[in-house]
Amino acid sequence: EAGVTQFPSHSVIEKGQTVTLRCDPISGHDNLYWYRRVMGKEIKFLLHFVKESKQDESGMPNNRFLAERTGGTYSTLKVQPAELEDSGVYFCPTAGGYEQYFGPGTRLTVT
Amino acid sequence: AQKVTQAQTEISVVEKEDVTLDCVYETRDTTYYLFWYKQPPSGELVFLIRRNSFDEQNEISGRYSWNFQKSTSSFNFTITASQVVDSAVYFCALSGRQGGSEKLVFGKGTKLTVNP
């Protein structure tokens, strides 16, 4: 069974640019989450999809972040425009049951 | 509000030593779930254990064991006879109600280094 895959693995962009992170879930997993870890801090929840619907987006930091999940399959997280404080590792675990399966994440560096 | 505290930022031990990673949590939920994840150098988070708030039995899985104590709101993780491959960052996490459909609240993680 293929795991969660995220693209790109590492992205370096300049402040003010736009970046789109992609997450391909484990097949059949209806629940898809986005989290991020800013350097030296906790891994923090951003939002939760159940299929294509946003179940909880209380963790989204501001309106520069836009998440979508087309047809309940893959998901994208767009940051526009990126700021320095957006640097960190972005994870998108998926779950069929209670266990959230994490991939290696996308490391975003904003310079 | 839910909160998880991992007071140990970094721990360094020599192979074959036992090591305990501490986790203290705060929640107002009566039903909640506690988790431990391991993050090896490759970066992904690997699920280790899930424990619900009504099950205070300690669990042992090979060299790993977990001590859940509601009285002290702690869910500590012990590695017996540590090995170099245990070197990783370990995260304790908490979720409310249904663990699979609720967001996880993580501690800051404890970086464990096991030296040969």
Side-chain angles (χ1 to χ4, degrees):
Chain A
E1 177 184 272
V4 174
T5 53
Q6 293 186 244
F7 303 97
S9 56
H10 190 189
S11 179
V12 182
I13 61 171
E14 292 183 355
K15 176 182 173 181
Q17 290 186 322
T18 297
V19 63
T20 299
L21 313 181
R22 172 169 170 144
C23 172
D24 284 80
I26 293 172
S27 177
H29 282 190
D30 289 340
N31 294 286
L32 186 150
Y33 302 79
W34 282 97
Y35 295 83
R36 74 171 176 180
R37 186 184 189 202
V38 173
M39 182 65 71
K41 298 198 173 180
E42 300 91 339
I43 300 170
K44 286 200 170 179
F45 168 81
L46 297 177
L47 87 160
H48 172 204
F49 283 101
V50 178
K51 297 185 179 179
E52 68 276 7
S53 300
K54 292 177 183 175
Q55 181 78 9
D56 181 351
E57 51 184 325
S58 61
M60 294 289 264
N62 52 60
N63 59 10
R64 295 187 295 103
F65 288 75
L66 174 64
E68 295 178 324
R69 188 177 184 192
T70 306
T73 56
Y74 70 91
S75 176
T76 57
L77 180 65
K78 179 190 287 188
V79 185
Q80 180 181 27
E83 299 289 345
L84 298 178
E85 63 264 24
D86 300 331
S87 296
V89 180
Y90 290 76
F91 297 98
C92 69
T94 68
Y98 64 78
E99 180 182 341
Q100 294 185 25
Y101 290 84
F102 285 74
T106 292
R107 180 174 296 278
L108 174 63
T109 303
V110 183
T111 62
Chain B
Q2 297 183 325
K3 183 179 179 181
V4 174
T5 301
Q6 294 180 256
Q8 304 149 309
T9 305
E10 293 192 41
I11 300 176
S12 182
V13 300
V14 176
E15 208 170 16
K16 296 184 183 177
E17 283 185 16
D18 298 346
V19 58
T20 295
L21 309 182
D22 298 332
C23 174
V24 174
Y25 63 91
E26 296 175 29
T27 181
R28 292 182 181 177
D29 291 342
T30 54
T31 302
Y32 53 89
Y33 295 83
L34 295 162
F35 300 77
W36 276 95
Y37 282 84
K38 173 182 179 180
Q39 185 182 38
S42 53
E44 77 278 12
L45 271 72
V46 178
F47 169 85
L48 295 178
I49 189 171
R50 167 186 180 261
R51 173 63 87 219
N52 77 53
S53 53
F54 296 106
D55 183 0
E56 288 191 70
Q57 283 191 337
N58 292 332
E59 177 146 346
I60 298 174
S61 176
R63 296 183 299 105
Y64 295 172
S65 62
W66 291 268
N67 183 356
F68 176 30
Q69 291 194 349
K70 288 180 76 171
S71 61
T72 55
S73 297
S74 64
F75 186 46
N76 296 337
F77 172 33
T78 297
I79 301 175
T80 303
S82 59
Q83 300 176 2
V84 173
V85 293
D86 296 327
S87 296
V89 180
Y90 291 85
F91 292 94
C92 181
L94 167 71
S95 77
R97 294 193 287 182
Q98 298 172 8
S101 300
E102 294 287 336
K103 56 193 173 192
L104 295 172
V105 175
F106 285 88
K108 290 187 177 182
T110 297
K111 182 178 180 181
L112 174 65
T113 302
V114 181
N115 298 299

